[in-house]
Amino acid sequence: MHTLTFANYRDVTVEQVKLLYLDKSLADFNYTINKISNTDYKITAYLNVFKEEVNDEDGIILQLYSFHNNKYRLTPIQVARKTCQFLNMEWQYVKHNIKKYGNMPTSCPMKKGLYYVKDFIVYPATLPNLPWDNIRCDLNFTVNGRTTGALQIFIKIDRN
């Protein structure tokens, strides 16, 4: 059995969010991120899905990198799932609040349409403790093994 400890961060900074690629024939994506305290952020995002239905041909790959010796290096934290498996995972805090603040899907099937989350507040204290201070999170989206979207998020953490 694994026990998660939750973070006690003094300051969390989302330094940059880069949308590296998006197949505009499948979806459109817009977002804003506003810092509302030393550690908390408010996110508004809109996802317009043009594909008829997201299914098990589609996948999400999440990889975390830590910054050491002037370079981002891949950490052991990597998650690769079919989109439906990813949406059906038990992310209770996220699922509860996504339903509260919008209509983003939390399970499959995910149909064609406009999805959003408005003024969703991210509290880093509810996240597992990570041993790194500078993190890059890569999210890659695939359809039949072909990359259809890529997002990078750069985060800096100051601890208590």
Side-chain angles (χ1 to χ4, degrees):
M1 183 168 131
H2 297 282
T3 303
L4 289 177
T5 58
F6 288 90
N8 193 7
Y9 302 133
R10 181 168 41 97
D11 190 36
V12 176
T13 303
V14 176
E15 294 185 318
Q16 189 175 20
V17 177
K18 291 182 183 179
L19 181 60
L20 301 176
Y21 175 73
L22 181 63
D23 182 338
K24 294 285 190 169
S25 70
L26 297 176
D28 194 18
F29 178 70
N30 292 294
Y31 63 91
T32 59
I33 300 175
N34 296 304
K35 191 168 187 171
I36 58 174
S37 74
N38 281 353
T39 59
D40 303 337
Y41 285 84
K42 188 182 287 187
I43 298 172
T44 296
Y46 296 91
L47 175 66
N48 197 355
V49 177
F50 305 132
K51 188 178 179 205
E52 286 302 320
E53 183 174 294
V54 173
N55 54 44
D56 273 342
E57 298 170 354
D58 308 314
I60 296 174
I61 302 165
L62 179 142
Q63 297 174 306
L64 288 186
Y65 293 78
S66 65
F67 192 76
H68 292 295
N69 298 327
N70 296 321
K71 183 178 179 181
Y72 281 98
R73 300 176 190 280
L74 188 60
T75 72
I77 299 177
Q78 301 176 56
V79 177
R81 298 279 190 274
K82 298 293 183 186
T83 302
C84 291
Q85 288 175 320
F86 192 84
L87 289 174
N88 289 329
M89 289 173 71
E90 292 301 315
W91 306 79
Q92 291 306 319
Y93 167 77
V94 174
K95 283 186 174 188
H96 169 76
N97 282 303
I98 283 178
K99 288 177 183 176
K100 181 177 174 182
Y101 292 101
N103 71 342
M104 286 283 186
T106 57
S107 64
C108 278
M110 185 171 131
K111 302 284 187 187
K112 176 179 178 178
L114 179 63
Y115 298 97
Y116 70 93
V117 61
K118 187 169 178 12
D119 297 336
F120 173 61
I121 298 175
V122 177
Y123 300 105
T126 63
L127 302 173
N129 194 12
L130 298 172
W132 311 289
D133 295 332
N134 291 296
I135 298 167
R136 185 182 91 203
C137 176
D138 288 3
L139 284 167
N140 292 289
F141 305 91
T142 63
V143 174
N144 290 324
R146 180 177 64 87
T147 299
T148 57
L151 184 72
Q152 284 185 331
I153 304 166
F154 295 84
I155 301 168
K156 181 175 170 69
I157 297 171
D158 288 329
R159 299 171 195 288
N160 283 341

